[in-house]
Amino acid sequence: MNVIDLRRVDLNLLVVFQALMQEASVTRAAVKLKLSQSAVSAALARLRALFGDPLFERTRAGMVPTPRALAISARIGPTLTSIAGVIYEDPEFEPTRSDRIMHLAMSDDLELVLAPRLARLKLAERWRVEFAIHQTNSALWRESVENPRNDLTLTVTPRTQGADVLSEPFASGGYLCVYNPRLLRLSQPVTFEEYAALDHVRVSYDVQRGWVDDLLAARGHQRKILCAVSHFAGLVSILSTTPVIATIPEHAARALTELLDLELSPVPLHGPRFTISALWNARVDGTPQHLWLREVLQGLAAEV
């Protein structure tokens, strides 16, 4: 280490840099650091001069880090955490005193299950920490993990992840049929003949055919799609008013049944099972707030 050169650097700038990486906003970083916006803007100007790079570019979605900023964050994030641990002897995260916003990315079927549980926990435990849930899916998960705003991403376990991505299993499950028993009189469980003859609503990010279509086609049937929606929220009004059946992940099916008094049935096909994983970027690994968040989610995993 070149001590002489390092003495010329204000190491507080690195704290500002990491806050900007996490918040993607000068305003939010200033609030988090209890500084004025002008002070954070001045620090950003000095950081740009120090590293010889713009570091962040302003977009409609916020301040997007440059490749150089991402590389810097991956190296100094764990370092700052280690320094804090040396000075404060591994400080614990206190959700009842923290104003931090925890940013989670997930598909809306998981949001349907987790958002109300997180809200109830926050009330019961009197946490001050906030939760912000952003949309992602199995096709867009990498963008969510690489977004410095997000603390953690929940998605169907990817086949490959990359060295900069850490993960742990969150939950596993299969699929169920769900329908409105006041509009459809079906056997329990639903028979294959009934299933093949019914009108279906398909839920898919790209509203394209999926495994149900393929398995029915293999048995000589074409699924009768009444409509296709890209979000699970679209099922609420459809299942409330329309005599259709939906085949969706069991956690979402059970959540909708609680809301709408629907009927559940096993799928009369040999459907796949899936595993959901929690994924995060290596730059946040080991921080007290991230360890706390993962502990909270592990407590909810059994319910999901």
Side-chain angles (χ1 to χ4, degrees):
M1 179 179 67
N2 191 327
V3 177
I4 296 176
D5 289 344
L6 192 58
R7 285 174 58 187
R8 298 173 182 172
V9 178
D10 181 357
L11 297 182
N12 287 316
L13 291 176
L14 301 182
V15 177
V16 175
F17 170 80
Q18 202 64 358
L20 287 167
M21 286 291 296
Q22 292 169 348
E23 301 298 331
S25 162
V26 169
T27 301
R28 292 196 296 270
V31 171
K32 179 176 183 177
L33 297 171
K34 296 181 173 59
L35 297 172
S36 66
Q37 289 189 44
S38 60
V40 174
S41 295
L44 176 56
R46 294 174 63 192
L47 282 162
R48 285 168 168 163
L50 176 65
F51 291 108
D53 188 87
L55 298 179
F56 300 93
E57 298 174 354
R58 296 185 185 278
T59 70
R60 292 182 179 179
M63 298 181 66
V64 177
T66 65
R68 172 76 167 138
L70 291 171
I72 293 168
S73 179
R75 296 183 67 181
I76 71 167
T79 301
L80 290 175
T81 300
S82 297
I83 293 172
V86 170
I87 296 173
Y88 300 109
E89 297 183 353
D90 194 19
E92 294 183 359
F93 178 69
E94 293 291 346
T96 56
R97 297 203 301 264
S98 175
D99 292 320
R100 182 179 175 83
I101 300 175
M102 295 292 187
H103 293 272
L104 298 95
M106 64 186 74
S107 53
D108 68 328
D109 58 315
L110 287 170
E111 181 181 7
L112 186 68
V113 175
L114 290 177
R117 286 172 168 79
L118 286 171
R120 289 195 293 269
L121 265 176
K122 177 179 166 67
L123 285 174
E125 301 294 335
R126 298 186 177 182
W127 293 335
R128 285 180 60 181
V129 66
E130 296 182 24
F131 298 99
I133 297 178
H134 307 271
Q135 288 297 301
T136 191
N137 55 54
S138 58
L140 303 175
W141 69 268
R142 182 166 289 279
E143 294 177 20
S144 297
V145 173
E146 292 177 351
N147 189 325
R149 172 199 62 195
N150 293 331
D151 295 285
L152 190 141
T153 297
L154 290 169
T155 186
V156 173
T157 305
R159 292 182 179 178
T160 59
Q161 296 173 190
D164 60 331
V165 179
L166 302 176
S167 68
E168 61 186 13
F170 175 69
S172 63
Y175 292 83
L176 288 172
C177 295
V178 60
Y179 61 93
N180 190 332
R182 293 169 295 284
L183 301 176
L184 284 175
R185 299 292 183 183
L186 301 174
S187 305
Q188 189 53 251
V190 173
T191 67
F192 175 80
E193 290 72 21
E194 290 173 324
Y195 188 75
L198 285 167
D199 288 316
H200 291 242
V201 54
R202 178 197 288 136
V203 188
S204 170
Y205 161 68
D206 56 6
V207 297
Q208 300 300 310
R209 63 182 288 131
W211 65 267
V212 172
D213 305 273
D214 295 337
L215 291 183
L216 281 175
R219 297 179 64 169
H221 296 270
Q222 181 175 350
R223 183 153 63 146
K224 297 170 61 180
I225 299 297
L226 189 66
C227 64
V229 295
S230 59
H231 292 85
F232 285 83
L235 285 177
V236 174
S237 58
I238 294 173
L239 290 172
S240 296
T241 61
T242 314
V244 295
I245 195 167
T247 306
I248 59 178
E250 57 183 306
H251 56 265
R254 296 187 189 282
L256 284 174
T257 298
E258 292 176 8
L259 290 173
L260 304 176
D261 191 24
L262 302 175
E263 189 76 23
L264 298 175
S265 171
V267 184
L269 295 168
H270 187 62
R273 291 187 63 80
F274 55 85
T275 301
I276 298 167
S277 287
L279 302 117
W280 62 93
N281 196 288
R283 66 175 179 271
V284 301
D285 187 53
T287 60
Q289 63 270 17
H290 194 266
L291 292 172
W292 174 84
L293 178 61
R294 283 160 52 196
E295 184 179 348
V296 169
L297 290 174
Q298 287 168 1
L300 294 176
E303 297 181 40
V304 177

